[in-house]
Amino acid sequence: MLRLCGFIAVVVVAALTTFDASADRRIALVIGNSEYREIPALKNPDKDAEDVSRTFRLAGFEVFVAKDLTKLQFEEQFRNYLAAADGADLAVVYYSGHGFQIGGENFLIPVDASLKNAADIEVQAVKLDDVLEQLRSKSKIQVIILDACRNNPFPRKDYWLRDQLIAAGNTGLAQVKSSLNTLIAFATEPGAVAYDGAGDLSPFSSAFSRRALAPNQEIRTVMAAVRRDVVEATDGKQVPWENSSLIDEVVLMRRASRPSLPPVLEKIVPSGVGPVALDLPEPVDVDGGAITVSIERPPALGRLMLDGKPVEVGEQIQGKDLPRLQMDVPKGDAAQDEVDMLAYATHDNWGGQTQGILVFRVKSGEGAQGEQIVASLEAEQKQQVLERGIHITGAAEAIENREISVPVGVGPVPLKLDFPTKDPSVSLKLASYPATGTLSLPDRALSPESSLMADEVDNLRYEPQIGAAKPVEVGFEIRADSSSSKPATMKLSPSVDPCDQAAGEPLDLQGVVPGLLPNEIGASAVEVCETAVKAYPDVPRFRYELGRALLASGKVAKARTAIDDAAKKGHVRAVFELGYIASSGIGMAVDPKKANEFYSVASNKGDPYGMTAWGRALFNGLGVQRDTGKGLDLLLKAAAMGHTYAMNDLAAIFTEGRNGVPADPARAVAFLKAGVERQDMYSMNLLGRNYITGRGVEKDPKAAMALFQKAIDLGQPYAPGSLGRMYRDGVGVQQDLDEAQRLFELATARGDQSGAYDRAAIEMQKGDKADQAIAVRYLAFAAALDLRNEIPDAKNTLAKFGAKAKTAALKQLRAELKSKTPASGSVDTQLINAARGVWEQANPRRDLF
């Protein structure tokens, strides 16, 4: 009878208790810029960021929080955030700081912006449309919240925007046209100014933090409440505004309808012995907060008692009091072994409830047999208290001082704690949430106020935050009732997979490391990346990095297969790489049309390399119909993401003025300086040349020399030639032909055709002391490396040398080759082919050309 009643109870509870067992990926980036360097500081944004980031954490978001970001720091933080947001259900950016509009486009202002020159807005500020476009390519739903509608504090009134100078707006931000499933919220209406307020927080941020925590409220309802609060706080001077194209509901603070407790329990209750403890476990709200309990169906055979007072049907008691609930079955009120049932419901602060049932058998407490039952129950209760103490101690020992290494960028990682108990009375409340990253269970993300039950602990997962390297601590309070608990703390250490360390790529928006250039990939990369692919077959990044490693080791066919697999599995940089392979003819015929198809796809998905390659093709009409405007826009977007190749392309465009874009050397220099700031060796070489010629900047040979030397140290191929010409011509330094000769030879070894030609010229200028075989050698290198036919004089001059010098040079080149080259064609052709072979076998940096 008891078993049957229990079975019925389980069915009843299962019918009453349902919830959505899903854990959507929700990522927030919160930025507070207060400490501006060139303009007065703002008092609220730092505190706004703290408060809002705490709000998103309580709502179960993975939160990236950053304060006082420079432009470079913004780029780094935003890339890490985008990598985490890849495939997210909801991506949020909250910004508090300076922002203003130019020509209807909104810009967020980093703390190091000076905005003194016309080109500064492009290299020092952050365009809101670029942020939104990147979010669209990464996530299902996008929300941008801006407390940035302040006065424009900069004195300059016009800036370059694409191909024209535009006047900056003095107040507020411009209305933004959102795409499908996007909400953009402003602290005040378009063109108006938001206020800092009298307290630590701005009126808008304060209202948002307060209203966003309303449980199970759709975001448009939240923003309406925020608007009411801000209008009231500012006496109607500030009216928050949003533009929404949401088609899905967005709930920031989700609360599950499921206070946790065992649904069915069984108990023996003796009659005629007074109130007997039912030992019901304390219910736990897994999302945090207080719980109340109501009696839905009281027992028919006796009375429920709490602290000596009867508890009636429908009466509310506190969840913490449930373990003290007793039952009093008077003498003779029940037949021997009669079965009864108590049904009760728990209620949380958010309207959720769960049903619990206690099925019990009443036995007579009279006589010797009754005394035995009572004694047995007392012994059982003591044993239960003892066992719970053991469970809590064992649970604490299972967690305390544990150190677990958790890989970055592979999704939530099970912690495998091997928790020693599944006692339904044992729960764990988070006492300290990790400073970065996200704790979760398969059905929900955990917040700083969450609890979990003992049987859930073995499913606990942690996902480290991309870009965060420091270990984090997680603290728990382990308890079985309100009177007994133990603390326990463990350490979680983010670890980067050896494959990422060996073959990760710069600016990969699905990557987890700053990355390496192709020539920096070592011999061990293939092995560690093969291991990573086997360990994480569903992470396409490792397949792409394996492809990079194989390409660096010369295994072109295998590399293409791995890269193609990564592209098919959704790795965007792999799509670009397929375009690069097609454009450069690595292991296949050069195919510009196919390359552009790949570049276009990668560009549309927000990859800065793809945007640069596709923008360059469109701007110049390379294998595609020219579209100067779109091409220029893509190059500017890629530069805004920190891609220095795009910066250098733009510098060339603005230096000369191309395809209708006006020349402005100062604008070109702004992009070159931005590239130098990002340690780009090409920008260093190009800016050094500007300091030599004085284009867009005052002549400064010492600055040029320093830039050339730094670029040389970084491996730049053309910088040795640039510095060599300074020594050859005595520009800014005493003339030194021997040093010039050395530098031209270094340039040749790195693949610089002009350096090779200049080395040959120095030799020829020695007159009777010239070694003609050496002159021939470097002319051959100049012709071999001149893939774009930029130095036709190299071949013409080579043709004028006699057979003796050419034969000597050819013999020397062939001696340096590890494999033979065909001895066909003219001697000049054989010289050029041999020179090319010598250069190629040195495994040069093909990515640089």
Side-chain angles (χ1 to χ4, degrees), residues 122-313:
E122 295 173 318
V123 295
Q124 294 182 13
V126 177
K127 190 187 295 185
L128 180 61
D129 278 352
D130 290 347
V131 172
L132 182 55
E133 194 169 319
Q134 285 289 345
L135 293 189
R136 287 172 188 152
S137 69
K138 292 288 187 178
S139 58
K140 179 181 177 183
I141 303 171
Q142 305 84 44
V143 171
I144 296 181
I145 304 173
L146 300 168
D147 194 358
C149 314
R150 296 173 170 89
N151 281 319
N152 177 2
F154 296 98
R156 187 176 183 90
K157 296 304 179 185
D158 61 341
Y159 297 95
W160 279 110
L161 206 60
R162 297 184 182 86
D163 57 352
Q164 54 187 317
L165 285 167
I166 303 289
N170 289 324
T171 58
L173 298 176
Q175 185 171 346
V176 178
K177 185 178 180 181
S178 62
S179 62
L180 196 62
N181 240 5
T182 299
L183 181 142
I184 304 169
F186 295 84
T188 192
E189 58 194 318
V193 176
Y195 296 90
D196 285 331
D200 287 338
L201 304 177
S202 73
F204 180 75
S205 290
S206 176
F208 177 81
S209 288
R210 182 171 60 255
R211 294 295 185 176
L213 293 178
N216 301 323
Q217 293 290 305
E218 210 277 333
I219 193 169
R220 284 161 285 196
T221 302
V222 169
M223 297 312 299
V226 170
R227 183 159 38 250
R228 287 192 297 271
D229 289 354
V230 173
V231 168
E232 181 179 351
T234 62
D235 294 326
K237 296 176 183 177
Q238 180 176 333
V239 182
W241 171 89
E242 65 267 359
N243 180 27
S244 172
S245 60
L246 293 177
I247 59 173
D248 292 319
E249 282 199 341
V250 175
V251 176
L252 298 178
M253 190 65 164
R254 294 176 176 171
R255 287 300 185 185
S257 300
R258 51 172 188 230
S260 186
L261 77 169
V264 180
L265 294 169
E266 299 177 358
K267 180 77 176 179
I268 294 175
V269 177
S271 62
V273 297
V276 176
L278 296 179
D279 294 322
L280 292 171
E282 180 182 347
V284 176
D285 183 353
V286 296
D287 289 325
I291 293 178
T292 58
V293 178
S294 63
I295 305 304
E296 304 293 306
R297 181 193 182 282
L301 301 178
R303 296 184 305 165
L304 294 176
M305 307 290 291
L306 180 63
D307 299 334
K309 297 178 182 179
V311 179
E312 305 297 336
V313 63

Side-chain angles (χ1 to χ4, degrees), residues 41 50 70 75 112 123 166 171 243 291 303 345 358 407 418 462 497 516 568 584 607 646 771 775 823 836:
E50 287 180 13
T70 64
E75 291 170 10
D112 61 337
V123 295
I166 303 289
T171 58
N243 180 27
I291 293 178
R303 296 184 305 165
L358 173 64
D418 295 325
Y462 175 67
D497 191 276
L516 301 173
K568 289 175 180 176
S584 56
D607 178 63
D771 186 329
R836 180 76 187 182

